[in-house]
Amino acid sequence: VIIPPEVNMSGTIVCDNFINGSWVKGERGQQEAHSPYDGRVLGTFSSPSSPQISAALEAAAKAQVDWGRAPVKERSRVLYNFRQILLREFEAIAALKSSECGKTLDEARAGLNKGLEVLEFALSLQNLDLGGRLEVSRGVSCEFRREPLGVVANITPFNFPAMVPMWTIPIALALGNAYVWKPSDKTPLTARKIADALTEAGLPKGLFTVLHGDEKTVNSIIDHPLVKAIGFVGSTKVAKLVYQRGTQLGKRVLALGGAKNHIILLPDANQDLSGPGISDSFTGCAGQRCMAASVLLAVGDVQAHIDRIVQRASSLKLGTEFGAIITSDQVEFLKSAITRAEKAGARVLLDGRKATAPAGMEGGNWIGPTILDQVQPGSEAATVELFGPILSIVRCKDLSEALAIERSNEYGNACSVFTSSGPLADRVAREATAGMVGVNVGVPVPREPFSFGGMNASKFGHGDITGQHSLDFWSNMKKVTVKWEKQSESNWMS
Ligand code: NAD
């Protein structure tokens, strides 16, 4: 039997810290990673000490000098190899992601495909990000030169262990930076596959670093003078902390936070779109995604649509069509939130508290899809990000009332409308306070090159995390003005 290097003799994965091209045991202790499906130990990871973090960042800075000077076409060749390896390893990575964060296999595959799409966008930079040059006065030209920042860092949440990091890894590396990744301590293992794939692709050592741990690791990374930019994706509470800490040090930070996404359902909607679209939006990834439907603003008589949503959500099979919740504490929180909503007057149309674990997965973290009707605007179920498979229906008399509720929410990731009316859809697109709007689309994640990013308490900082708008975040645009000869006539610059 040939045992792959990342698997130890007990069959579990070892994912230590990836520092200067080697896997290094962290001096701050080792932890186990468990599967939300059944609680089994999937592997181990360890957190680095401060000196280990400094050594990693110094190695990254050293490696970046040469990489940053290489033409983008040269860097892209490594990323092209990376893509081929990810395609070869696609099923293995999807299986690991699925078992470490509780997604179904199909959901894990979809996330990886989105990551590959960002990688393909990054590969297009070698041909499309041409900068520009113009003769601005006689004998004087001005040009744009995009330059890397140096060492950049990214901190990611548990719910997309490959896709969210892949939003930034290819773009930051293609632009000539060294990349430091702090994965979630709840899903630390997929990092092993990504780092190994980059190494096999030929990425010089030091350019890709993995550092595990909690806020201590994050703060050491933010504070280190060699780290020039920080990307963050996670809850609003931590996004704010990271944004404040980084910007106080004068660093650029883009911190994506939590969400409370609204779907506006109008009576003229096509039921074949609204039923599956809304049900899949709140049940997909067991509700653990920042683009999940959370509040359904039901305008007028839409009962037939709601019946179809309930029917579809109730038919999902736990374990294969519907995934697990990240921790048992979160299951308890979700159950208690449903009970509180019920006490506050909501009607439970579908009760996930009654769901039982699939056979053989009794050690896992399970709750079924839940639909609450007659939820009051302003109540916990209508305003707080619960991050689970719970849809809160708020009844509204008209579109204006629905939009007023949507506009009063503190977040701003996604909002969708289901309708057959173009003008009403356009009104929602104009008036909703969300960075990403969908029309008859339950999860309005923009495809590349349209960039991903919300607004308000869902995003701190400027720009988006993928697509064209991410380029300026991960690079500096230098302006170079050139004159070779003294001009006979003077101009304003001479
Ligand atoms: P989290 O905020 O708890 O953790 C995110 C990262 O921050 C992890 O790597 C974690 O180790 C680290 N961290 C935790 N506490 C910290 C602290 N005090 N200081 C510094 N770092 C700290 O988020 P989570 O539970 O892993 O993920 C779920 C959240 O992420 C949800 O709120 C979800 O909406 C959000 N999310 C947002 C997007 C988006 O694009 N806006 C995408 C995915 C997830």
Side-chain angles (χ1 to χ4, degrees), residues 155-160 164 167 182-186 213-215 218-219 232-236 238-239 241-242 256-259 289-290 385 387 413 452 458:
I155 298 133
T156 57
F158 79 83
N159 62 328
F160 284 96
V164 168
W167 281 348
K182 209 300 281 175
S184 165
D185 43 357
K186 293 177 193 146
D214 51 17
E215 64 177 289
V218 174
N219 290 344
F232 173 90
V233 181
S235 62
T236 290
V238 183
L241 290 172
V242 166
L256 272 56
R289 66 179 158 193
C290 63
E385 181 184 41
F387 220 54
N413 234 27
F452 187 99
S458 295

Side-chain angles (χ1 to χ4, degrees), residues 114 163 167 291 436 441 443-447 452:
K114 175 70 193 179
M163 182 191 80
W167 281 348
M291 296 295 282
M436 294 167 281
V441 174
V443 185
V445 172
R447 300 288 303 266
F452 187 99

Side-chain angles (χ1 to χ4, degrees), residues 57 381 479 481:
L57 298 177
K479 282 69 62 183
T481 305

Side-chain angles (χ1 to χ4, degrees), residues 243 253-255 459-463:
Y243 184 78
V253 183
L254 182 60
K459 188 180 78 180
F460 302 90
H462 186 68

